Amino acid sequence: MVPGDTVAVHGYTFKFNGSVHTCAVISSGGVKCWGNNEYGQLGDGTTIDHLTPEDVSGLGSGVVAVAAGGYHTCALTSGGGIKCWGDNWFGQLGDGTTNDRLTPVDVNGLSNGVVAISTGLYHSCALTSDGGVKCWGGNNFGQLGDGTTTRRLTPVDVGGLGGGVSIVAAGNVHSCVLTGSSGVKCWGDNAFGQLGDGTTTNRLTPVDVSDLGSGVIAITAGYDHTCAITNNGGV
């Protein structure tokens, strides 16, 4: 598995993305997390590490997806809203502050209308019901896609997408989307060519991935690399 992948095991939906912790949505719609809790990323109101799953405070039901970032976590509710908790040094919780949160808080302006979430090391992204993408948090490599390298404490629109996005994948400090034409666009850190545009130049707004303008059905963004599944079953 690589960061961003999900797998269902015994009623738990695991999200493989956290650097030092793991979270799952259980069949009742609640969320449980375990592992390192230095910044409150387990969401139980403490900073105590847990070797077994602990309930996330206030999220006993109504959650449809969870994404574990570097040292923070976000959940998508059945109402289309997002709540986040844990490390907030770069504003990756999206609540307008840089205060760490030991329990979930609402992301500003995203109380509804979200259909998917993805979390990177220090940033978070959301796919909205109109096919747009919003990101927030650390932006030192342009991973928020708003044309700047300014961290954002609340969600901002990713530039140049124009709707039609079906998947968003936040990597370490880069981000990618699957477009309505089944193509892939990426932005942010490109030191290892993880944006796939044939260069190692960081990009502050989305660029096309070479030779993947169409025919893609799924994407995932890892630490410093990105992968896609094509419609012929190739990778």
Side-chain angles (χ1 to χ4, degrees):
M1 306 298 291
V2 296
D5 283 352
T6 59
V7 63
V9 180
H10 299 302
Y12 289 71
T13 301
F14 294 95
K15 183 76 173 183
F16 289 88
N17 206 30
S19 293
V20 290
H21 71 295
T22 309
C23 293
V25 179
I26 60 177
S27 57
S28 65
V31 181
K32 292 179 179 284
C33 296
W34 59 98
N36 180 274
N37 198 25
E38 181 179 1
Y39 297 96
Q41 60 263 40
L42 302 188
D44 69 338
T46 78
T47 56
I48 299 171
D49 297 348
H50 291 289
L51 305 183
T52 56
E54 290 288 325
D55 291 325
V56 174
S57 179
L59 292 183
S61 63
V63 174
V64 296
V66 64
Y71 298 91
H72 73 292
T73 313
C74 294
L76 174 63
T77 70
S78 57
I82 301 181
K83 295 178 178 287
C84 298
W85 59 95
D87 181 31
N88 200 25
W89 179 256
F90 292 92
Q92 58 265 49
L93 303 189
D95 68 341
T97 78
T98 56
N99 299 325
D100 295 348
R101 304 294 186 179
L102 306 186
T103 56
V105 293
D106 293 325
V107 174
N108 283 8
L110 292 181
S111 60
N112 57 65
V114 176
V115 296
I117 55 172
S118 188
T119 50
L121 182 63
Y122 296 122
H123 75 295
S124 309
C125 293
L127 174 62
T128 61
S129 56
D130 61 1
V133 177
K134 294 177 179 287
C135 297
W136 59 96
N139 198 25
N140 49 325
F141 293 94
Q143 61 264 44
L144 301 189
D146 68 341
T148 77
T149 56
T150 303
R151 72 175 178 179
R152 304 295 185 179
L153 307 186
T154 56
V156 293
D157 291 322
V158 175
L161 292 179
V165 171
S166 59
I167 296 175
V168 61
N172 181 38
V173 285
H174 74 291
S175 308
C176 296
V177 295
L178 180 62
T179 70
S181 60
S182 299
V184 184
K185 293 178 179 285
C186 297
W187 60 94
D189 183 30
N190 200 24
F192 297 92
Q194 57 264 50
L195 303 189
D197 66 344
T199 78
T200 55
T201 302
N202 296 345
R203 305 295 184 179
L204 306 186
T205 54
V207 293
D208 293 325
V209 174
S210 298
D211 300 322
L212 288 182
S214 63
V216 177
I217 59 173
I219 58 172
T220 186
Y223 193 84
D224 286 322
H225 71 297
T226 310
C227 293
I229 299 176
T230 62
N231 57 12
N232 64 2
V235 179

